[in-house]
Structures are given as structure tokens and as C-alpha cells.
Amino acid sequence: MGEVALRFYAELNDLVPRPRLTRSFVGSPSVKDLIEAAGVPHTEVDLVLVDGQPVSFDHRVTDGARIAVFPVFETFDIATVTKVRPRPLRSIRFVADGHLGKLARYLRLLGFDTDYSAQRDDAELVAISVGESRILLTRDRELLKHGSLTHGLLVRATDPDEQLVEIVARLDLRRAMRPFCRCMSCNGEIATAARDDVADLLPPAVRAVQDEFRRCSRCGRIYWRGSHARRLEELVERVREP
């Protein structure tokens, strides 16, 4: 029987009852096993120090070890030490679980490639995340403990507007935003469409008052500045605020 001291930093404390914990163990567990047993998915962790030295997730702990656990996307300067996570993805792309449909639409609103279906099970979500190098977004922390996952984020907020603000802030995505260039329904790219090209597809009331249109290259949906546009523009501006 052994015992270690765990210290969690910053937003990881949302996931544990208190910042400092002790964990008893039998045998020779990995540091990853102990961290996840405390309730923190490995995808939330960027750096682990054991007795002051950086280690990998498969490091085997010994009795009396002191383990410090730091979060992903933290502001601490850890450039000179070894992180446990792989290098950042070349492009930011997401896959959202079935409970985050509105967040998926909002991420598309900001221009982020976001795969979503309400029908997928956990295995499908993990396969898409790994196979397509997408960040898995979920409120299910057990899902993020899947061993093959490398990029995932536990969404803390429950309100979709707040979820969007949270994701953009935690991943520092403000400079990468390209609002109104992606279809909120199917995730396809949208571009300006000539009025004459879409006129026959428009409701008469819209055709009579609107002159500017955009069309999705994937599903063909036509967009114009309707009554809901101001609400979406306000959301975009809110997310842009530091």
C-alpha cells in the first residue's frame, strides 16, 4: 500500500473537491490512472510534475510522491519543460457530443469546422476525434478518459452562450474567428450569392425586401439578414471581448 499527494491547479479545481488530495494505491499505478481516479480526464492536463520533475502519463508512481497537475491552455509559462500532451493541432476543428447541438451551431457561426450529430455513441465520437484530428467537446468527463483520445475539452457551462464564450476563451480562439462563413445547419462553407441566382428559391416576402444573400456550398441553404441577425451579431461581439 502506498500514498501520494496530488495538487491540482487553476481550472482543474472545478473537477476535484479540493486542490490538494491524497490518494492511496496498491501496486504500481501510472500517474494517469491516479489523476483520472481523482476525477480529472487526461485530456484536461498539459503538464505533470512528480517531485518537481516533468513526467509522462505512463510514469509509475511510488509511495510518498508529490504530484502537481497543470491544465491545458493554462497561462503558466511551461515552454522549458516537457508537456504530457501532443503538439497542438495544425487547425482547430471540433466534434461535439449529442448534448451540445446549440454550441456546435454557434461554433460554426464563428467559422469553426464543427462536426455534430445527435445520434452518435461514445465510440463513434472517439473515432472521429482521433481519426480526423478534432477536439472532442463534451460535458461527460468519463468520455474524456478514453485512452486513445489526445484532444478533448470538458465543457463546464450549461448555457450555450456561456459555453461558446468559455471555449473561445480557454482555447484563445478570438484571432481565429471567421464569423458568418460557415453554415450553422450542415457545417458547409457559405459564400455570397447573386440575387438572380437564388430569387426563385426565396419566399416572396424576402424577395421583395432583401438584396444580399449567401448560400451554403454543401446543403444549398440560403442566408439573408433576417430578424435574428442582430442577436447573432451581438453574440459574436460578446465573444470577441477579452
Side-chain angles (χ1 to χ4, degrees):
M1 176 74 72
E3 185 176 270
V4 297
L6 288 160
R7 172 72 165 96
F8 294 93
Y9 287 85
E11 61 262 33
L12 295 183
N13 289 311
D14 297 340
L15 309 178
V16 292
R18 53 189 179 278
R20 299 178 185 273
L21 302 172
T22 57
R23 301 288 300 188
S24 299
F25 63 89
V26 176
S28 182
S30 69
V31 70
K32 175 179 177 288
D33 290 339
L34 286 176
I35 290 170
E36 292 197 324
V40 177
H42 69 277
T43 55
E44 296 287 296
V45 178
D46 208 17
L47 173 68
V48 179
L49 302 180
V50 174
D51 296 327
Q53 297 299 313
V55 300
S56 62
F57 276 136
D58 58 6
H59 175 83
R60 298 292 167 176
V61 299
T62 57
D63 183 39
R66 302 179 65 84
I67 304 171
V69 188
F70 297 85
V72 180
F73 315 118
E74 182 50 58
T75 56
F76 296 127
D77 181 7
I78 56 175
T80 60
V81 295
T82 303
K83 298 184 180 184
V84 294
R85 291 173 48 77
R87 293 180 179 179
L89 299 175
R90 288 186 177 183
S91 60
I92 299 296
R93 304 193 302 167
F94 299 100
V95 55
D97 77 14
H99 301 287
L100 297 177
K102 199 161 188 179
L103 173 61
R105 289 174 59 85
Y106 283 167
L107 286 166
R108 293 169 179 174
L109 170 70
L110 299 185
F112 295 109
D113 182 345
T114 306
D115 194 332
Y116 171 78
S117 170
Q119 308 304 321
R120 293 188 179 121
D121 59 22
D122 289 358
E124 291 176 292
L125 291 167
V126 171
I128 291 170
S129 174
V130 174
E132 300 181 13
S133 297
R134 292 178 179 271
I135 299 171
L136 175 56
L137 301 176
T138 182
R139 285 182 46 77
D140 179 2
R141 73 174 73 185
E142 293 304 313
L143 173 56
L144 292 181
K145 293 180 182 179
H146 195 286
S148 65
L149 273 178
T150 59
H151 293 84
L153 204 63
L154 186 67
V155 180
R156 270 66 157 184
T158 56
D159 176 77
D161 288 22
E162 296 299 329
Q163 290 173 342
L164 185 66
V165 172
E166 173 191 339
I167 297 302
V168 171
R170 289 179 64 189
L171 303 187
D172 193 18
L173 297 178
R174 292 185 182 90
R175 288 180 294 179
M177 289 168 46
R178 300 292 184 270
F180 306 106
C181 71
R182 191 172 289 277
C183 181
M184 293 177 66
S185 294
C186 79
N187 198 39
E189 295 183 353
I190 59 177
T192 300
R195 187 180 190 281
D196 290 345
D197 292 340
V198 299
D200 293 342
L201 303 174
L202 301 171
V206 173
R207 190 165 57 240
V209 299
Q210 297 289 342
D211 292 314
E212 296 182 358
F213 303 94
R214 308 185 82 190
R215 191 173 190 177
C216 176
S217 61
R218 179 182 295 176
C219 70
R221 180 172 178 170
I222 302 168
Y223 289 85
W224 60 87
R225 185 177 172 79
S227 58
H228 64 291
R230 185 56 191 163
R231 146 77 176 148
L232 296 178
E233 289 168 352
E234 289 175 349
L235 179 59
V236 170
E237 290 306 310
R238 179 185 173 194
V239 173
R240 276 198 173 117
E241 296 175 359

